[in-house]
Amino acid sequence: MDMTLRHGALFTILILVCIAFSTACMSIDSYPPPNGSGTSYVDYHRTGGIAAFEDHLVIYENRTATVSRRAIPAENITTKFSINETEATNLNNLFRQAKFLELKHFYPAPYEGADYFTYVIDYRGYQIQTEDTGVPSELIPIIDELNHLVVSGCGGDVCPIP
């Protein structure tokens, strides 16, 4: 077999392999739905405000969640709950719509403030921190939903607002 023909065949195979890999990479979903495992896919902290909130919500891939809040005088109260498949899908879609994985890691408040909230959102290992008045519009629906889950997960007076 002629060397030029052999090199041409190898080059063609190499090009086809590269195309196959690039096509496979493009089809990987950056925002897959929860996979049912016990690892966390959302870890959310909200601190600050006039009442010195200290809330922590963790949602696991199997749709179980824990929420803890600072109680009076200084201990934390933690509760466990589950979110249904629709809630998990809707939350995941909020991250997709916000293009969360493309946002910057830090959005500070443009001006200092004494009673601002600080929000730290970790979605599958990608973390963003922001503060009141600096929250980008893309994150507002996510923060609203996470705050809703903190309150609904507490079930009223199980972990009351301080």
Side-chain angles (χ1 to χ4, degrees), residues 27-40:
S27 66
I28 294 174
D29 187 0
S30 298
Y31 302 91
N35 65 20
S37 72
T39 59
S40 68

Side-chain angles (χ1 to χ4, degrees), residues 16-139:
L16 290 173
V17 168
C18 288
I19 291 171
F21 276 123
S22 66
T23 303
C25 290
M26 290 189 315
S27 66
I28 294 174
D29 187 0
S30 298
Y31 302 91
N35 65 20
S37 72
T39 59
S40 68
Y41 87 100
V42 176
D43 193 321
Y44 172 64
H45 294 263
R46 175 179 70 170
T47 57
I50 293 173
F53 281 79
E54 194 172 313
D55 299 331
H56 182 206
L57 170 69
V58 179
I59 304 171
Y60 299 91
E61 295 275 358
N62 62 9
R63 299 190 332 261
T64 61
T66 60
V67 63
S68 68
R69 300 188 98 174
R70 185 185 53 75
I72 298 174
E75 63 186 55
N76 284 351
I77 297 174
T78 301
T79 187
K80 295 180 181 183
F81 65 102
S82 295
I83 61 175
N84 64 43
E85 189 172 344
T86 302
E87 290 172 314
T89 299
N90 289 343
L91 179 60
N92 205 58
N93 285 338
L94 290 176
F95 282 96
R96 180 189 312 273
Q97 290 164 3
K99 297 182 180 176
F100 188 86
L101 300 174
E102 298 173 28
L103 297 174
K104 295 187 299 185
H105 290 285
F106 186 54
Y107 294 92
Y111 306 102
E112 288 188 30
D115 297 321
Y116 289 164
F117 279 103
T118 297
Y119 308 94
V120 179
I121 306 166
D122 186 302
Y123 174 79
R124 293 187 165 127
Y126 190 86
Q127 188 176 92
I128 293 177
Q129 180 179 337
T130 187
E131 300 169 315
D132 280 345
T133 73
V135 178
S137 60
E138 298 90 341
L139 288 181

Side-chain angles (χ1 to χ4, degrees), residues 44 119 121 130 135 139-148:
Y44 172 64
Y119 308 94
I121 306 166
T130 187
V135 178
L139 288 181
I140 292 172
I142 294 171
I143 290 173
D144 287 346
E145 182 60 22
L146 294 172
N147 287 339
H148 169 75

